[in-house]
Amino acid sequence: MASESFDAIIVGGGHNGLVAAAYLARHGATALVLEARGQVGGAATTESPWPDAPEFKVTRLSYVMSLLPPTIMRDLELERHGYKVFPMGPYYQAFPEGGSLTLYEEDSQRSHEEIARWSKKDADAYPKWNAWLGGLADVLGPLLLTVPPRIGSRKPRDLAATLRLAWRHRGLDVRTIGDVTRLMTMSIADLLDEWFTSPQIKGALAVNGVIGTWAGPYEPGTAYVMAHHSIGDVGDGRLGSWGFPEGGMGAVAAAIARSAVAGGATIRTGARVAKVLVTGGRATGVVLDSGEEIRATTVVSSLHPKTAFLDHVGKENLPGDFAADIERWKTRSGVVKINLALAELPNFTANPGTHLQEHHTGSVEMAPTMEYIEKAFIEAREGRPATRPFSDGVIPTAFDKTLSPDGTHIMSLFTQWVPADWSEEPHAGELEKYADRMIDAYNEVAPNFKSAIIHRDVVGPYEMEHDYGLIGGNIFHGELSLEQLFHMRPAPGFADYRTPVRGLYYASSATHAGGGVCGIPGMQAAKAAIADRAIRRPHG
Ligand SMILES: Cc1cc2nc3c(=O)[nH]c(=O)nc-3n(C[C@H](O)[C@H](O)[C@H](O)COP(=O)(O)OP(=O)(O)OC[C@H]3O[C@@H](n4cnc5c(N)ncnc54)[C@H](O)[C@@H]3O)c2cc1C
């Protein structure tokens, strides 16, 4: 059953697929996005999970923006298409034993006073830590917009790309290279032990090392994950600080979709792709679940690599080494997202009041110490859900009034860990008990918390895999572990957004610069197709 043909088909209407479509359409290509679900956005989604209370909207999976480069915002005119972000407030942790810690990104004096309540020595070390980390993040940031070269290839073009990369970093001195090496290889726990003494400040700084990661804070590589979250500039201007998009993360996808459509792209939802058609080593189109065939000279897939390559292309169309690399791709997280509708704001014993205060406006954490976080991981690795999970909480309605009725709030808890293999079975009852324990932990420090909950929505790894295509429940289409970064993402020799199949490009979060809602993989895959002249340019 053949239907139309296009210059480019984009498989998957997550934010990266939409970015790819927007760039290709702007280049003059006829571009078709095929999205399996009833709405675009993928993991950047705003939904109403409670049928009897549609007035509450939650950003069901991802919840804050950070790494979207200014170039993409400008090229796709995202602000004109409705993209608006409220900068986040401070980091806040109320401790079960009493007291709290607030860290202000922009106010070093207040942060100093806060930390000094726990340790004067740590308060003095904190600005030096920020300066050290800022310096390293400025080295790592521009790498996010760099297309990884084929390291090891002796082809002149690849050697030149590797040399260009080395030349760009010629200004780095021995000390900086040493510091980057330490950052890439150390655990966040070992690194923080070198800088700080108080458990409270170490707990605060450890969280970013384990977000979305199947590794506790004592595992090597977690220092890099923390630094990844601290990047302020990807080389084309400072990134906005972390923030809440108005209308939730789905509004970001909607703005990109509007930009793509304005550029001439077509978006079809409810269109699940079953296969990528490959003839003579070249992609020629796709087949939908319905049997419909759609032809294109270029196909861009933005799906998880196991789906994109093993299911859609098939091992018979792939080199053995590449197929083996994708088969061994690590894709665990053990993340559970808990979305709550609240009748009132949490009333913290350490900072009382249900009226909106500064500590409600940023991250409202439940990760008091590194040991607390580590214990949650050890339990999950041993096959049990954490007794006391940790949470990166946010209350977007502190700013965004579009998500819930006046006076009520939405709170999003990004929590870890449950066993990685919970992606294979729903574990519905156990997930509810896990959510109860998470809520109890907040209730200990904010005693009105439990009674303030009007509705709750618990999304575990099974739902992430089966409803959203996040295989293994990994939030980034694949772990950000060292062996899966840069020239290894998703496989050595294919980190340049191209694939072993001619005419098939790869734009998922499993490529370099993914994951996160940054759009870079989508942009780079489109640029690779354009550079290869895979796209005809009908109008120019
Ligand atoms: C719980 C959670 C919290 C997160 N928090 C943050 C955060 O706060 N900030 C941040 O920056 N990042 C966060 N992330 C990560 C970020 O959301 C993802 O890395 C990013 O959204 C992935 O975008 P993508 O376009 O690459 O893929 P996806 O969003 O996964 O899009 C792929 C799309 O393909 C569709 N699809 C799947 N199979 C088919 C098929 N056969 N045919 C057609 N379509 C198909 C899917 O429905 C989906 O829409 C979070 C992720 C999760 C899960």
Side-chain angles (χ1 to χ4, degrees):
M1 195 173 35
S3 67
E4 302 157 275
S5 79
F6 289 81
D7 294 330
I9 288 173
I10 296 90
V11 184
H15 85 286
N16 272 318
L18 295 169
V19 166
Y23 272 96
L24 290 169
R26 269 180 173 61
H27 185 71
T30 53
L32 171 69
V33 178
L34 295 169
E35 165 57 44
R37 300 183 74 233
Q39 64 184 74
V40 293
T45 181
T46 305
E47 298 176 26
S48 300
W50 305 293
D52 51 347
E55 65 280 19
F56 289 98
K57 301 180 197 76
V58 301
T59 69
R60 208 157 178 246
L61 298 175
S62 58
Y63 50 107
V64 280
M65 289 301 293
S66 76
L67 290 171
L68 187 73
T71 302
I72 295 183
M73 288 197 9
R74 274 192 309 270
D75 287 352
L76 304 189
E77 300 175 283
L78 293 185
E79 283 177 1
R80 185 165 79 79
H81 290 292
Y83 179 77
K84 176 178 171 191
V85 171
F86 302 101
M88 262 176 105
Y91 161 97
Y92 177 75
Q93 168 76 54
F95 296 101
E97 66 276 20
S100 67
L101 174 66
T102 311
L103 296 175
Y104 304 88
E105 200 186 331
E106 303 293 345
D107 193 335
S108 49
Q109 183 54 37
R110 281 172 88 191
S111 293
H112 189 276
E113 285 160 20
E114 279 283 319
I115 302 171
R117 294 199 284 129
W118 299 100
S119 160
K120 171 80 174 65
K121 192 164 171 272
D122 286 358
D124 293 341
Y126 188 62
K128 292 177 201 144
W129 158 265
N130 274 337
W132 180 78
L133 190 60
L136 293 184
D138 285 347
V139 174
L140 295 173
L143 283 178
L144 286 186
L145 280 178
T146 302
V147 176
R150 284 200 171 86
I151 298 174
S153 161
R154 295 191 185 162
K155 286 192 187 147
R157 210 172 89 167
D158 297 333
L159 278 172
T162 307
L163 287 173
R164 265 199 309 276
L165 181 64
W167 180 250
R168 274 223 314 271
H169 291 90
R170 67 193 179 284
L172 296 183
D173 58 15
V174 171
R175 171 63 35 197
T176 311
I177 297 278
D179 283 346
V180 170
T181 307
R182 287 155 57 72
L183 201 65
M184 300 301 286
T185 54
M186 284 179 79
S187 74
I188 182 65
D190 282 347
L191 186 63
L192 292 174
D193 278 342
E194 289 181 359
W195 282 83
F196 301 103
T197 54
S198 71
Q200 291 81 6
I201 183 79
K202 285 194 262 186
L205 300 178
V207 176
N208 274 345
V210 293
I211 289 285
T213 305
W214 182 249
Y218 290 84
E219 306 278 325
T222 46
Y224 168 73
V225 178
M226 179 274 308
H228 183 88
H229 286 94
S230 308
I231 285 167
D233 188 336
V234 290
D236 71 343
R238 273 207 87 67
L239 299 173
S241 54
W242 292 79
F244 304 118
E246 186 175 56
M249 298 296 279
V252 177
I256 304 171
R258 276 194 288 274
S259 171
V261 170
T266 307
I267 298 175
R268 268 176 72 179
T269 54
R272 181 175 290 279
V273 170
K275 280 274 169 214
V276 171
L277 294 167
V278 180
T279 312
R282 169 165 258 298
T284 54
V286 301
V287 188
L288 302 188
D289 259 6
S290 61
E292 182 186 354
E293 278 186 24
I294 310 175
R295 299 277 164 180
T297 46
T298 294
V299 177
V300 179
S301 182
S302 63
L303 271 46
H304 189 286
K306 289 193 190 275
T307 315
F309 296 111
L310 302 179
D311 298 346
H312 284 181
V313 174
K315 277 165 77 171
E316 65 282 9
N317 291 311
L318 295 168
D321 282 355
F322 179 84
D325 286 336
I326 301 300
E327 275 173 333
R328 73 161 77 93
W329 182 250
K330 300 266 186 307
T331 183
R332 305 155 294 182
S333 270
V335 167
V336 178
K337 185 74 193 303
I338 304 171
N339 301 302
L340 304 172
L342 299 178
E344 61 181 0
L345 286 167
N347 184 358
F348 289 97
T349 310
N351 302 79
T354 55
H355 57 292
L356 181 63
Q357 298 170 74
E358 209 176 13
H359 64 269
H360 293 120
T361 62
S363 46
V364 185
E365 304 297 81
M366 182 45 65
T369 63
M370 294 197 303
E371 292 69 27
Y372 179 108
I373 303 172
E374 175 71 2
K375 187 160 182 266
F377 178 63
I378 299 284
E379 287 177 323
R381 191 169 58 189
E382 288 173 353
R384 304 183 303 281
T387 318
R388 292 180 73 85
F390 87 80
S391 160
D392 183 36
V394 292
I395 308 175
T397 44
F399 302 100
D400 183 355
K401 305 299 174 201
T402 68
L403 298 176
S404 71
D406 267 0
T408 63
H409 285 278
I410 294 294
M411 186 163 184
S412 145
L413 309 181
F414 178 94
T415 77
Q416 288 172 210
W417 283 265
V418 295
D421 64 7
W422 279 25
S423 58
E424 292 163 22
E425 299 284 339
H427 292 274
E430 286 165 285
L431 274 179
E432 291 300 328
K433 287 190 192 134
Y434 168 96
D436 287 342
R437 295 197 295 278
M438 189 72 257
I439 288 164
D440 284 344
Y442 276 104
N443 206 65
E444 270 180 47
V445 294
N448 72 331
F449 193 64
K450 217 190 276 191
S451 59
I453 298 171
I454 321 171
H455 302 285
R456 73 183 211 180
D457 168 47
V458 184
V459 191
Y462 182 85
E463 195 175 344
M464 288 186 204
E465 171 165 332
H466 290 84
D467 289 3
Y468 293 91
L470 302 168
I471 308 298
N474 184 274
I475 72 165
F476 296 137
H477 288 193
E479 296 169 35
L480 286 182
S481 47
L482 290 181
E483 81 282 14
Q484 298 193 160
L485 292 181
F486 201 55
H487 65 294
M488 304 292 283
R489 197 165 181 86
F494 295 97
D496 61 354
Y497 310 91
R498 295 173 176 87
T499 73
V501 177
R502 273 177 296 129
L504 175 65
Y505 295 84
Y506 194 43
S508 111
S509 285
T511 60
H512 172 59
V517 182
C518 66
I520 300 172
M523 176 188 72
Q524 298 285 33
K527 285 190 173 173
I530 291 165
D532 290 353
R533 299 180 196 277
I535 298 292
R536 283 181 285 129
R537 188 164 189 185
H539 313 300

